Amino acid sequence: MAEDWRLSELAFHILLALGDGPSHGYAIGHDIEERSGGRLDPTTRALYQALGRLTNDGLLAAVDGPGNVDARRKYFALTAQGRRAAPAEARRLDALVRAARKRKLFPEKA
């Protein structure tokens, strides 16, 4: 059976934030806020709920942080499944953009 990835915007941003390696919740939230130009500013609760869902779905795993960090910080990393989900979601979004361009709803040079 093919994996059918349909991620929320927040979930996709979380996967993007972890694309370069493990990180903790605060840094993930900061990355999301920065990448979205402030449009997305996940609350701590919303972020950790999404991190929990993605972990339960097998896209993320809780991992140990670097040796000399605050032990209260929870670190997360992409799993192999998460590394497949991120490009699948990017392809899905790309197909939507191509459809919008075909229908002259989105400019070619955006």
Side-chain angles (χ1 to χ4, degrees):
M1 178 174 99
E3 295 169 325
D4 181 28
W5 306 113
R6 288 200 128 171
L7 300 172
S8 70
E9 186 175 9
L10 177 57
F12 187 48
H13 274 275
I14 290 170
L15 297 187
L16 291 174
L18 293 170
D20 288 334
S23 192
H24 55 83
Y26 178 79
I28 294 167
H30 181 71
D31 183 85
I32 292 168
E33 183 180 6
E34 188 175 288
R35 186 179 318 100
S36 70
R39 190 178 56 77
L40 290 178
D41 182 13
T43 64
T44 301
R45 180 181 171 138
L47 179 62
Y48 276 94
Q49 284 177 339
L51 289 166
R53 276 192 305 276
L54 291 168
T55 300
N56 289 339
D57 290 346
L59 303 178
L60 301 181
V63 296
D64 291 333
N68 58 350
V69 297
D70 187 340
R72 294 171 294 176
R73 288 188 172 170
K74 293 182 180 182
Y75 278 74
F76 297 88
L78 292 175
T79 62
Q81 194 173 4
R83 290 209 170 270
R84 290 191 304 273
E89 179 67 4
R91 283 189 298 274
R92 185 184 76 80
L93 295 171
D94 182 59
L96 291 173
V97 170
R98 283 185 277 120
R101 284 185 173 146
K102 183 177 180 181
R103 289 166 180 81
K104 310 272 190 261
L105 297 173
F106 190 70
E108 288 291 327
K109 302 286 185 195

